[in-house]
Amino acid sequence: MADETTNQGIPAPEGESDIIDTEYEIGQDNIETQIGPFGVDIHNPVFLVSGLVIVAFVFYALALPEQAGTFFNWLRPAVTSNFDWFFFGAADLFVLFCLFLIVSPWGSVRLGGNEATPDYTYIGWFAMLFAAGMGIGLMFYGVSEPMSHFSTAFGGTSVPEGGGARTDWAPLGAAAGNEAEAVRLGMAATIFHWGLHPWAIYAIVALALALFTYNKGLPLTIRSAFYPIFGERVWGWTGHIIDILAVFATLFGLATSLGFGATQANAGLNELFGVPTGATTEVVLISVITAIALISVLRGLDGGVKVLSEINMGLAFLLLVFVLLVGPTVAILTGFASSLMAYVEYLPALSNPIGREDVNFSQGWTAFYWAWWISWSPFVGMFIARVSRGRTVREFLICVLLIPSLVCVLWMSVFGGTAIHQVITDGFTGAQDASLELKLFKMLGELPLSGITSFVGIVLVVVFFVTSSDSGSLVIDTITAGGKVDAPVPQRVFWCIFEGAVAIVLLLGGGLAALQAMVISTGLPFTVVLLLMCWAIFRGLLTEAR
């Protein structure tokens, strides 16, 4: 039965499964036509509404940059200050729901049916989900975030008049002067943002899509997960709105990451080769890397994303091992264990959604992060779902939730721990005083072979940039083609180009603040979508053979 497909064009479930009986045929609302040598196969109205709104947004930001900049600067604090409790509470619920499924009887449900087998090895599978889920962020924040939290928790560079730590900015309002505890708290706060919570957000979307596609026989699109709630209405405007929200969330989430990647690559090139920093260079970088991403798009999933992901994971692993061996090895290894313990100790307080006094930390860092991960979740979730057929729910959640979290802890411990050790032991404050995008290169500059390792760091940022853009184009194209996974390539090219265009206009219209503002605003409504998705997953699992 492995070669059979459902009427939706996806592999048919193997063994017992509860196929949803629907009259909807994948692509029935699509517009199919031929424009010159290129075919078009787009979902009406998802593609048209999404495309027109995004094109209008690009022209607005370019035509009225000052007005757009003012709007972006107002938008982020307005959302985070009023809805931080909502982001916190939702993210906590996602973690608890995933942990519940791991230990529940439904953990034995196999995605694709009882006889389904995985399409990829563990190494290939893990490389793709990790590169898509965290790539650029780990490069940008691997040094900068642990250092920032340590500095503010200890007193460091952000001290109010009269001395002492800024309790409104520092994690949990940490007291100044306790260096050892500032290190533990800084690392715990960093792991909090890169551990269980973000991967639980990704896991919810990925599990929902995999379950309703491979087990229920529905199209691979976000609306399919809501069939248990809305029934046949998911093929009408209820579903259209869900998919359009997913497109907006994905596009702006990706644009934010591409903006971070461009600013960091620019900073690294300036540090190594004296390349000028600024908007012009960043625009050129985004344009060049988007062009490279187009080549990857044309090569397809296995020839493009998979190959680049494995290359990137190899380079990232080599850089990690190098810093571990030539850096303060003993301090890093002991710090890894200490950081994990600190994370467990501080997790209840860090995840508390009410009564927070550290408003600049909880709103400026955590609320932004949760909105960012939620915006990325349609992209990462659909990508993970596409490569996860054949795994059990338990295996899927453990690999998607726990293993990447441990890798993130190791990454932050090696890079952030090395930078903090340089400050405490060697008195080197270069990484502490540098801007966020430059901290990684300042830390590497104090280690042997700094020119080579810094160049490798730039290459990693660029290739993570390419894999994210390629994967995101694939996902958005699938959504706007009504769930078709073999839509014409020019449509994916269109979305790849516009991801770069949105990143450029947001950088020109307000820099990183504009990028963060848009990801916050799209993450807010999509949080509601994810909460409903949890209920849909539970209802879907109830009818599955275990």
Side-chain angles (χ1 to χ4, degrees):
M1 189 169 182
D3 295 330
E4 296 180 11
T5 61
T6 68
N7 68 334
Q8 309 300 344
I10 58 173
E14 301 176 7
E16 295 182 39
S17 191
D18 180 38
I19 295 290
I20 290 177
D21 184 18
T22 176
E23 296 180 358
Y24 181 82
E25 291 282 345
I26 185 170
Q28 70 176 38
D29 297 323
N30 283 20
I31 299 173
E32 298 184 53
T33 186
Q34 195 76 17
I35 302 178
F38 303 112
V40 173
D41 191 354
I42 57 177
H43 187 276
N44 179 37
V46 174
F47 183 96
L48 297 177
V49 174
S50 303
L52 289 174
V53 170
I54 290 167
V55 169
F57 172 83
V58 168
F59 279 106
Y60 161 71
L62 289 175
L64 301 170
E66 292 185 5
Q67 181 180 343
T70 301
F71 171 71
F72 296 143
N73 289 330
W74 165 84
L75 184 60
R76 173 180 167 163
V79 175
T80 55
S81 61
N82 290 299
F83 295 98
D84 57 330
W85 60 272
F86 182 60
F87 287 123
F88 271 77
D92 292 345
L93 181 63
F94 300 146
V95 173
L96 294 175
F97 183 62
C98 288
L99 295 177
F100 163 74
L101 290 181
I102 288 175
V103 300
S104 75
W106 296 285
S108 61
V109 171
R110 188 170 295 277
L111 301 174
N114 289 340
E115 305 302 322
T117 56
D119 297 326
Y120 298 94
T121 64
Y122 274 114
I123 294 176
W125 181 47
F126 180 73
M128 284 190 285
L129 74 90
F130 193 80
M134 290 293 178
I136 292 175
L138 284 179
M139 296 301 298
F140 192 90
Y141 285 108
V143 172
S144 62
E145 186 170 354
M147 179 61 71
S148 297
H149 295 330
F150 162 74
S151 298
T152 53
F154 184 58
T157 57
S158 298
V159 295
E161 187 176 353
R166 282 188 53 183
T167 57
D168 64 334
W169 183 268
L172 305 181
N178 189 338
E179 187 176 85
E181 194 58 27
V183 173
R184 293 182 73 249
L185 184 53
M187 291 304 300
T190 301
I191 295 167
F192 173 58
H193 291 150
W194 295 87
L196 294 176
H197 284 74
W199 286 100
I201 290 169
Y202 294 159
I204 293 295
V205 179
L207 178 58
L209 290 172
L211 176 65
F212 287 95
T213 299
Y214 300 132
N215 294 62
K216 308 298 185 183
L218 298 180
L220 182 64
T221 188
I222 304 297
R223 71 175 73 196
S224 295
F226 295 89
Y227 194 93
I229 299 175
F230 299 114
E232 290 293 317
R233 285 178 293 169
V234 297
W235 314 126
W237 270 103
T238 300
H240 298 337
I241 292 171
I242 290 171
D243 278 352
I244 290 169
L245 281 175
V247 171
F248 291 158
T250 302
L251 193 79
F252 288 113
L254 277 167
T256 299
S257 298
L258 301 186
F260 280 130
T263 56
Q264 188 174 34
N266 190 184
L269 290 170
N270 175 261
E271 185 77 1
L272 281 180
F273 307 114
V275 174
T277 59
T280 301
T281 305
E282 290 167 6
V283 168
V284 171
L285 278 170
I286 292 175
S287 302
V288 170
I289 298 172
T290 299
I292 298 173
L294 287 175
I295 299 174
S296 180
V297 163
L298 295 173
R299 289 180 59 86
L301 181 62
D302 290 332
V305 175
K306 182 175 181 289
V307 172
L308 287 175
S309 297
E310 291 176 345
I311 291 172
N312 235 23
M313 288 301 293
L315 281 176
F317 177 75
L318 290 176
L319 184 60
L320 180 81
V321 171
F322 175 82
V323 176
L324 175 62
L325 294 179
V326 304
T329 306
V330 175
I332 290 172
L333 294 177
T334 56
F336 174 77
S338 175
S339 297
L340 266 179
M341 294 175 62
Y343 171 58
V344 174
E345 176 187 341
Y346 285 113
L347 182 58
L350 287 167
S351 57
N352 174 34
I354 57 175
R356 298 291 289 265
E357 295 183 0
D358 54 344
V359 291
N360 279 312
F361 170 77
S362 58
Q363 296 175 9
W365 285 89
T366 307
F368 162 68
Y369 266 129
W370 292 175
W372 190 13
W373 303 143
I374 288 168
S375 290
W376 261 56
S377 64
F379 150 48
V380 181
M382 184 174 290
F383 186 76
I384 293 174
R386 285 195 64 171
V387 298
S388 298
R389 185 174 179 271
R391 310 288 179 183
T392 66
V393 169
R394 183 173 294 113
E395 177 188 18
F396 173 87
L397 289 174
I398 289 174
C399 290
V400 174
L401 186 64
L402 300 181
I403 294 177
S405 294
L406 288 174
V407 174
C408 287
V409 175
L410 178 62
W411 185 276
M412 296 297 182
S413 297
V414 170
F415 287 85
T418 298
I420 292 174
H421 186 272
Q422 290 174 349
V423 172
I424 294 174
T425 305
D426 304 328
F428 174 71
T429 60
Q432 187 176 32
D433 297 335
S435 58
L436 291 178
E437 62 270 15
L438 197 55
K439 289 182 185 293
L440 170 66
F441 303 108
K442 290 295 185 182
M443 182 275 289
L444 292 174
E446 291 300 298
L447 301 177
L449 305 176
S450 60
I452 296 175
T453 56
S454 294
F455 183 74
V456 169
I458 296 172
V459 171
L460 279 169
V461 171
V462 170
V463 181
F464 274 132
F465 194 142
V466 171
T467 54
S468 295
S469 180
D470 186 357
S471 307
S473 304
L474 181 70
V475 168
I476 295 176
D477 183 43
T478 301
I479 297 172
T480 55
K484 286 192 174 181
V485 296
D486 56 352
V489 173
Q491 294 172 204
R492 209 181 313 158
V493 170
F494 169 82
W495 289 114
C496 184
I497 292 172
F498 264 84
E499 286 162 20
V502 170
I504 288 172
V505 299
L506 286 174
L507 279 173
L508 294 176
L512 291 180
L515 292 164
Q516 294 170 355
M518 290 310 300
V519 82
I520 284 278
S521 63
T522 53
L524 180 61
F526 209 74
T527 304
V528 178
V529 173
L530 262 67
L531 289 170
L532 291 173
M533 200 174 276
C534 291
W535 176 240
I537 290 172
F538 184 70
R539 291 187 59 179
L541 288 173
L542 287 177
T543 59
E544 284 295 310
R546 301 196 294 273

